[in-house]
Structures are given as C-alpha cells and as structure tokens.
Amino acid sequence: MTDAKLIDGKEIAAALRSRVGEGVAALVAKGHARPGLATVLVGADAASQVYVRSKGKTAAELGMGSFDHRLPPETTEAELLELIARLNVDPTVHGILVQLPLPRQIDTARVLLAIDPAKDVDGFHPMNVGRLASVSAGAPLDFPVPCTPLGCSMLLAATLGSMAGANAVVVGRSNLVGRPVAQLLLRADCTVTNGHSRTRDLPGLCRTADVLVVAIGKPEFVRGDWVKPGATVIDVGINRVPAADGKTRLVGDVAFDEARAVAGHITPVPGGVGPMTVACLMYNTLQAARRIDGLPFLAV
Ligand code: NDP
C-alpha cells in the first residue's frame, strides 16, 4: 500500500489567513470599523505567552487592531471581570480571547460567561456552546465556533468535500476539542461516535472510522492497526517527547509512520491542525466584526 497523502495544514491555514486579510481590507475600504482582537493573558506561563504573542502578531499582519492585555499571576477574579466588562463595551474590540488555563483563584466558567457572546471569538460562552449543540445539519455557522475544532472541520472539508454518511470517530470529549469536533461532524452529516477514556475496545471502534479525529493528549497512542485502510486521520494532539539527540520533538496522539502507511489522508504534527487554530481565530474575529456592524455572514 502507498503512503497516505499529507493534509497540509500550513498551506490551508495560509490560504485562510489570506482570505481573512482580504475580508478585513474590504471592510475597512467600505468605511466599517477595523476588526480588533483583544488578547488577555493572566500570569507568565511560557507556552501561553508564545500562543498569545502569535495571535496578536497574526492579527496585526492581517490588518486587524491588536490589543494585548497582560495581567500579573495574582490578579483577582474581580479585576479580570472588570477588564472584560471594559472590553465588552469598547467599540474598537470585536473579539476577546482570554488565554486558558487561568490561575486557580479565578473561576474560568464565570469569566467565560462574562464575555459578550458576540465578541466570544473562542466560542466557549455557554450561549455559543448551545448554538453549536443545536445547529441543524448544513446550516451556516454564523456564530463563533471553537477555533481548533473549526480548523479540523475545515481541513476535512478541504480534503474530502462532502462527508455525508461517513462513519466518524472522535477520540476525546473535552469541551475545547473533542465534543465540538463531534458536533461539527454531525452537522456535516457524518454518523458520529465520540470515544473517551472509558470506551470499550477503542482500537475496534477506531477501525470502523472513515474519518478519525484524535484529541487525547497521549503521544502516539493510536496505532497504525487501529486505522481503517483509506481513512482520513486528523491528529489534534501536540505532545513534546524526548528526541534521540537529547532534545525534544513534537508528536501527535497518532503513531504517524504506522498510520500513514494505512490511511488515505493524514495530518502531520507539527504542520497539521496547529496552524489552523490561529487562522480560525482570525476568521472568527473578522466574522464577529461583520456581525457587530450588522453585515451578513461571509463564507471565506
Ligand atoms: P483534555 O485533557 O481536556 O481531554 C482529553 C480527552 O481525551 C478526554 O476526553 C479524555 O477522556 C480522553 N482520553 C484521555 N486518555 C484517553 C485514553 N487513554 N483513551 C481514550 N480517551 C482518552 O485535552 P484537550 O482536548 O484539551 O487536548 C487534547 C490534545 O489536543 C492535547 O494533546 C492538546 O495539546 C491538543 N490540542 C491541540 C490544539 C491545536 O491547536 N492543535 C489545541 C488544543 C489542544 P475522559 O473525558 O474520559 O477523561
């Protein structure tokens, strides 16, 4: 059997970013407000700092306003809520992203609830979670959808076109990734099963999948003989493991070389889902700015 075709997340994300950039320029040219993204980081977590920096930089590159709010680790919940209240009414801000995880003294659910759902570009506000849970098959996603799941569904659409009738297995049921991915696949007319740590015979379940999305945070957990020949595999996992040269390297939740020999299409790690996450955040910010200005949903 020949190796699976790689799904090039870098290329698909670059094309999305470019379309978003064009959308921003077109809005501004028509005299609408420049879309603005506010990022909020509480504390000094190194990985979070990298993510937030890359989000702000990409927003600026696409011609958006970019507002970076850094708060000390001892910030109280009241102080964070006060900042969110200000961003909610700031007309230059169309998207608010509070980088997770938050320090222990802050109740994450209360913070997510405080963000104006119209500016909730991460799609974690309960109102947007409910919209995704109740969207009809094929209906437009004219509300913010969590960025990584949206990126997975865009990669699948770019690779497969219609997925109607496909058996889809999503491994992982987190609110951040697995659960919204399952809902997006249901909307795309797949027959969806959502596996998790208590699933019986996970390898057997995975072997039924025409579309297999894995988001569990366990390095190379899904083996090649779990993959149905010709299946499309989306590996969301990002795990740092020791490398032969004494450094570290990134691997996904799927044993890539084994799975690649069996699958029809597969995402690499890095270079698969990762680049789509930031591109989808930009897409969500553009759509939020359009909606706030009363403009219709734009398919980009
Ligand atoms: P969580 O830890 O929140 O959730 C993990 C999920 O995997 C849970 O539902 C858990 O099941 C399930 N799981 C854990 N172990 C097993 C197992 N042995 N067998 C079956 N299911 C299992 O992780 P996230 O969803 O936030 O992230 C998952 C991965 O995706 C991570 O590697 C993360 O780094 C990566 N990620 C990548 C992003 C990107 O941009 N590419 C963005 C976000 C995350 P249960 O519910 O039963 O505990």
Side-chain angles (χ1 to χ4, degrees):
M1 181 172 299
T2 53
D3 276 358
K5 291 206 176 85
L6 283 190
I7 302 173
D8 189 341
K10 278 192 207 161
E11 191 181 305
I12 297 170
L16 176 60
R17 283 197 306 275
S18 149
R19 292 197 301 276
V20 170
E22 286 162 18
V24 171
L27 258 191
V28 174
K30 285 187 190 140
H32 291 282
R34 180 177 298 282
L37 173 66
T39 53
V40 181
L41 175 60
V42 185
D45 179 70
S48 295
Q49 283 179 346
V50 173
Y51 293 142
V52 164
R53 201 176 310 128
S54 129
K55 289 164 185 174
K57 187 168 159 271
T58 309
E61 281 167 6
L62 300 188
M64 297 187 189
S66 169
F67 312 99
D68 183 16
H69 296 268
R70 304 280 170 116
L71 303 178
E74 65 278 8
T75 300
T76 64
E77 186 176 298
E79 286 165 335
L80 179 55
L81 291 175
E82 197 268 330
L83 171 60
I84 290 172
R86 274 192 284 129
L87 297 174
N88 279 345
V89 295
D90 183 338
T92 64
V93 170
H94 304 88
I96 302 171
L97 178 133
V98 177
Q99 185 66 41
L100 302 179
L102 289 167
R104 283 167 161 269
Q105 74 274 15
I106 298 177
D107 181 339
T108 301
R110 204 170 292 158
V111 169
L112 296 179
L113 193 58
I115 296 172
D116 179 347
K119 297 187 178 185
D120 167 40
V121 280
D122 249 345
F124 294 151
H125 187 286
M127 184 180 284
N128 292 321
V129 173
R131 284 172 167 156
L132 180 58
S134 55
V135 73
S136 306
L141 292 168
D142 54 357
F143 51 86
V145 173
C147 301
T148 300
L150 184 60
C152 293
S153 78
M154 287 185 180
L155 290 178
L156 284 167
T159 307
L160 296 174
S162 168
M163 288 182 279
N167 283 339
V169 172
V170 181
V171 189
R173 58 174 163 180
S174 72
N175 289 332
L176 245 67
V177 189
R179 205 174 288 236
V181 168
Q183 285 159 343
L184 286 168
L185 294 178
L186 203 52
R187 170 185 169 273
D189 286 323
C190 293
T191 302
V192 182
T193 311
N194 198 175
H196 47 78
S197 67
R198 308 295 292 272
T199 296
R200 290 198 193 110
D201 187 17
L202 194 59
L205 175 66
C206 290
R207 278 192 282 271
T208 67
D210 305 310
V211 172
L212 178 61
V213 183
V214 187
I216 57 178
K218 298 258 183 304
E220 300 176 322
F221 188 79
V222 171
R223 311 307 310 189
D225 63 356
W226 298 25
V227 175
K228 179 177 176 175
T232 303
V233 179
I234 304 289
D235 187 353
V236 186
I238 301 179
N239 309 284
R240 199 164 278 285
V241 297
D245 59 3
K247 296 186 183 156
T248 59
R249 64 191 177 101
L250 289 183
V251 297
D253 291 342
V254 178
F256 179 77
D257 291 336
E258 291 178 16
R260 189 181 186 185
V262 186
H265 295 88
I266 187 167
T267 53
V269 176
V273 175
M276 291 303 289
T277 298
V278 175
C280 285
L281 176 67
M282 302 305 131
Y283 170 89
N284 277 347
T285 305
L286 171 63
Q287 299 289 9
R290 289 181 59 88
R291 275 191 298 271
I292 289 168
D293 250 4
L295 295 170
F297 176 72
L298 178 73
V300 301

